Amino acid sequence: MANRFRSATGFTGSTMNSTRPDRNELIAFARRYASGVSDRSPLEQLRGGSLNFVWRIHSPSGKSFIIKHAPPYIASVPDIAFDDSRIVFEVNILKAFQFRNELNQLIGISVRPPEFLGSDNRRHLLLMEDIGAWPDLLQAVRFTGYNFASLGSNLGAYIAQLHLQTYQNKWFADNFANLPVQRTRLQVQYNGCLEFCRRAHLPDAEKIGKLCRQLGEKFNTVGKCLIMGDLWPYSILLGREEIRLIDWELTHFGRPAQDVAHLSAHLWMMFHRTSRPSQKDRIGRFRQTFLASYFNEVARQKPELISAEDERDFQIHFGAEILARTLGNFQNNYLYDGLTPEHPVILEAIAEARKWIYGDYAAFKP
Ligand SMILES: Nc1ncnc2c1ncn2[C@@H]1O[C@H](COP(=O)(O)OP(=O)(O)OP(=O)(O)O)[C@@H](O)[C@H]1O
Ligand SMILES: [Mg+2]
């Protein structure tokens, strides 16, 4: 959810910067798990995310590592409280990738998370593999040389396996009920839709707001499979043939729409916001193969994963995400930054969102 909160959400925190670890503490933490890190190791704070503090630490051998710290507020907006247990969920899922047999099926798809190296749950610290400076999806579509059709297809297969292999799995249900995060999403995103629609003076704001709120209430429960939870362009780092998925703090035992419709909505917005045919082509191919591969895998293995109710959830989440990015708390620093509710581009996006929310499009599947 990078760069996406504005203080208008009404959340207040009190702990502020007092919990933020200093250089000595970060180095001591990294040294526990990474040989070669020393008192003089260069430590660089990374930009990019906004919920947490993230650093790259170098060892003299040239190896580097990533440290992530979750404060009990949003790092870039310290007066908005946000439950710091989110990093424990990220720690636990990165660890689970190392020892849960269910997740073995995800190996070999050319998509993976960074390797877990160490954690301090009391201090809300995580040490992980440094992927390096791979471009995220938003950046990568500007370049030639990536096979977007195959990358999209691999990501679709990977997310399908994540959902399928954990479907109705008690261990994942017991360990990944990330309800603090879902509660915040309900408050700032789904409940917010009413206000977002009012900003655009939509005559049916109440009706749309109610559909989105009901969806958020459903998502604020334990669902049917493990989801990545933050599947948007900034979490997807691209190599020529491979993908690394970062930022798993919103992972939850939830419902498929919050991954699949989420990324699909972002790809629609990326497509909408670029005027370059070459970029439209890459984004379109990525989206088409992502969805085709996801739904094919599900149909082949466990069609019961996606019920008619889930398909309806896909549509509403797709629309709700567009509303949040065009009129809502997550407009800042993203694709529609600075555009007023009356701007023709915003009106186009709202029209698209409404159609999905009302279910005017027959099916979500390609
Ligand atoms: N394992 C990693 N390897 C390389 N770079 C990383 C890694 N993890 C994070 N980064 C870099 O740090 C930035 C912030 O990380 P991340 O997205 O996890 O933070 P965040 O605060 O949770 O973000 P958000 O506000 O989107 O939730 C990323 O955009 C990326 O550039
Ligand atoms: Mg994050």
Side-chain angles (χ1 to χ4, degrees):
M1 294 204 285
N3 306 328
R4 318 8 127 187
F5 283 92
R6 293 196 313 198
S7 35
T9 50
F11 288 82
T12 52
S14 53
T15 29
M16 300 298 166
N17 288 322
S18 59
T19 59
R20 191 175 159 180
D22 62 17
R23 178 185 157 84
N24 289 341
E25 196 181 345
L26 291 170
I27 297 222
F29 167 66
R31 287 180 81 165
R32 294 215 303 263
Y33 305 101
S35 60
V37 171
S38 76
D39 287 343
R40 287 184 305 171
S41 289
L43 184 69
E44 163 202 359
Q45 185 166 349
L46 299 182
R47 295 166 181 278
S50 69
L51 294 188
N52 304 291
F53 298 107
V54 181
W55 297 266
R56 173 172 282 131
I57 186 162
H58 299 265
S59 73
S61 69
K63 218 168 155 30
S64 54
F65 309 91
I66 300 289
I67 306 176
K68 183 163 176 178
H69 168 65
Y73 52 85
I74 290 171
S76 61
V77 194
D79 60 342
I80 303 181
F82 195 26
D83 195 302
D84 48 15
S85 71
R86 62 191 187 271
I87 197 132
V88 179
F89 285 92
E90 186 162 357
V91 163
N92 287 347
I93 185 61
L94 295 187
K95 276 186 185 169
F97 274 104
Q98 299 185 329
F99 73 91
R100 289 300 301 189
N101 287 339
E102 295 89 338
L103 300 178
N104 286 346
Q105 294 291 331
L106 282 72
I107 298 169
I109 309 181
S110 314
V111 182
R112 67 168 179 84
E115 187 191 349
F116 169 82
L117 298 173
S119 62
D120 181 336
N121 286 352
R122 194 184 55 81
R123 291 293 288 125
H124 303 99
L125 287 165
L126 160 65
L127 185 76
M128 62 185 143
E129 171 195 7
D130 183 4
I131 300 303
W134 291 20
D136 61 44
L137 182 58
L138 221 48
Q139 296 165 328
V141 295
R142 298 196 207 116
F143 307 133
T144 56
Y146 292 92
N147 185 341
F148 284 94
S150 123
L151 290 164
S153 172
N154 288 344
L155 185 61
Y158 181 89
I159 296 298
Q161 289 301 340
L162 180 72
H163 295 174
L164 290 163
Q165 298 303 325
T166 59
Y167 178 56
Q168 292 185 336
N169 180 302
K170 188 172 177 331
W171 187 83
F172 284 94
D174 289 347
N175 286 282
F176 290 96
N178 197 348
L179 295 173
V181 153
Q182 290 298 329
R183 197 158 46 243
T184 300
R185 293 184 85 158
L186 172 63
Q187 288 166 327
V188 301
Q189 177 173 11
Y190 303 102
N191 281 352
C193 285
L194 171 62
E195 172 55 26
F196 310 156
C197 292
R198 283 183 177 151
R199 274 178 208 157
H201 305 290
L202 295 190
D204 51 352
E206 306 282 332
K207 205 167 154 195
I208 293 178
K210 186 173 169 199
L211 286 166
C212 295
R213 174 172 52 75
Q214 286 170 340
L215 183 72
E217 283 166 357
K218 188 197 292 183
F219 287 165
N220 189 24
T221 59
V222 176
K224 57 165 79 173
C225 64
L226 193 75
I227 60 165
M228 190 275 174
D230 203 6
L231 194 63
W232 76 317
Y234 286 126
S235 302
I236 302 168
L237 306 186
L238 294 196
R240 296 288 162 186
E241 307 285 340
E242 289 177 63
I243 291 181
R244 298 286 178 269
L245 267 189
I246 60 164
D247 200 8
W248 288 72
E249 65 189 326
L250 307 189
T251 189
H252 171 54
F253 199 81
R255 289 164 197 276
Q258 250 183 334
D259 277 344
V260 182
H262 196 76
L263 180 59
S264 188
H266 282 273
L267 291 166
W268 184 87
M269 290 186 275
M270 285 171 64
F271 188 94
H272 185 217
R273 290 302 284 145
T274 182
S275 53
R276 291 175 184 267
S278 59
Q279 291 188 21
K280 278 198 189 289
D281 183 59
R282 290 170 198 143
I283 298 163
R285 258 182 295 146
F286 191 90
R287 181 165 176 230
Q288 200 276 329
T289 57
F290 168 72
L291 290 174
S293 151
Y294 178 84
F295 285 111
N296 284 343
E297 278 303 312
V298 171
R300 200 169 60 79
Q301 293 187 44
K302 268 178 213 158
E304 64 273 24
L305 173 76
I306 311 283
S307 64
E309 184 183 337
D310 290 301
E311 291 203 31
R312 191 70 192 100
D313 293 349
F314 277 69
Q315 298 176 317
I316 301 174
H317 181 84
F318 186 100
E321 186 62 18
I322 293 178
L323 292 179
R325 302 288 168 181
T326 50
L327 298 164
N329 297 322
F330 306 93
Q331 186 193 9
N332 283 2
N333 299 319
Y334 198 51
L335 295 163
Y336 297 85
D337 195 6
L339 302 181
T340 62
E342 299 77 32
H343 194 285
V345 167
I346 298 282
L347 295 178
E348 277 172 17
I350 297 172
E352 181 76 8
R354 279 171 100 232
K355 282 191 203 155
W356 285 102
I357 290 170
Y358 284 134
D360 288 354
Y361 291 121
F364 196 83
K365 296 178 197 171

